Amino acid sequence: MKISVYDIKDEAKELAYDEPTDELNALMAVGAHDFDFPGPLQVNLIYYRAGQELVFQGTLKGHATGHCARCLEDFDLEIDRPFHCILLPHSQVPAEVELEQEDLDLSYYSGEHVDLSPLMREQLVLGLPTQPLCDDRCRGLCPKCGVNRNREHCDCDTHVADPRLAALQGLKATH
Ligand SMILES: [Zn+2]
Ligand SMILES: [Zn+2]
């Protein structure tokens, strides 16, 4: 979604649109492939100019399909992320701002258009959990028989000590 810089005025304008996720899905498939986005994301925002700054403020909503790191099952993740992005003209970047940029949702624009798609992709990725888990308490798969321990019980003894740990415990016992 591109907005002409000349359309961004002091008075806030509203915008609602669907952000496609094809590119994002392609990117995610290359990496750890923790998440997929089955449909477009709903973006609702207002935008306005504050001097040199362009402000984009709103929410990003949609759904992701996560692939649980422990039990390997797919799960649905609801996305509802507020964002507040400020864009500065590329030529006007003071050095100290460049240093602090990590802490702020600050980006730069150049040319006559602002492309919201990369900004929205960034916001979305920032809002995803670092580890995809169907539930914080997911019990994962049994390392011996492979059953999903959230759903099934098995009688495998998974407390067989790692030989290195056993050696350590042996050491402790002698003290
Ligand atoms: Zn899980
Ligand atoms: Zn088992």
Side-chain angles (χ1 to χ4, degrees):
M1 170 59 73
K2 287 185 180 170
I3 300 177
S4 165
V5 166
Y6 308 111
D7 275 346
I8 305 173
K9 308 268 168 65
D10 293 351
E11 316 87 68
K13 286 185 189 172
E14 284 182 41
L15 175 67
Y17 75 98
D18 281 354
E19 179 68 50
T21 48
D22 316 346
E23 247 182 274
L24 197 61
N25 281 327
L27 280 174
M28 295 303 257
V30 177
H33 204 197
D34 293 337
F35 294 96
D36 280 311
F37 304 93
L41 301 164
Q42 289 80 53
V43 183
N44 275 282
L45 77 158
I46 56 162
Y47 59 94
Y48 56 91
R49 176 183 293 278
Q52 293 282 356
E53 300 175 356
L54 306 182
V55 182
F56 300 85
Q57 193 178 348
T59 53
L60 192 60
K61 289 188 184 185
H63 284 270
T65 303
H67 310 297
C68 180
R70 288 187 199 150
C71 71
L72 313 179
E73 301 267 320
D74 286 354
F75 63 96
D76 182 64
L77 178 76
E78 195 177 340
I79 294 161
D80 187 353
R81 180 173 169 87
F83 61 85
H84 188 170
C85 304
I86 296 170
L87 268 66
L88 291 172
H90 205 272
S91 54
Q92 311 263 327
V93 183
E96 68 268 25
V97 169
E98 203 127 41
L99 286 176
E100 289 169 19
Q101 133 162 239
E102 300 261 320
D103 305 324
L104 301 164
D105 284 334
L106 206 55
S107 301
Y108 308 104
Y109 70 93
S110 55
E112 299 184 342
H113 291 93
V114 172
D115 188 357
L116 288 180
S117 300
L119 286 180
M120 293 303 106
R121 282 202 290 272
E122 191 185 329
Q123 286 300 319
L124 179 63
V125 171
L126 286 173
L128 292 172
T130 45
Q131 194 186 27
L133 291 179
C134 64
D135 190 295
D136 283 345
R137 290 158 300 174
C138 173
R139 304 174 68 202
L141 302 177
C142 170
K144 281 203 157 174
C145 71
V147 302
N148 183 336
R149 292 193 288 198
N150 300 313
R151 286 199 303 252
E152 276 178 71
H153 176 78
C154 63
D155 292 318
C156 299
D157 181 6
T158 53
H159 289 284
V160 176
D162 182 313
R164 290 162 299 180
L165 275 180
L168 272 178
Q169 269 154 7
L171 273 180
K172 262 192 218 149
T174 59
H175 283 288

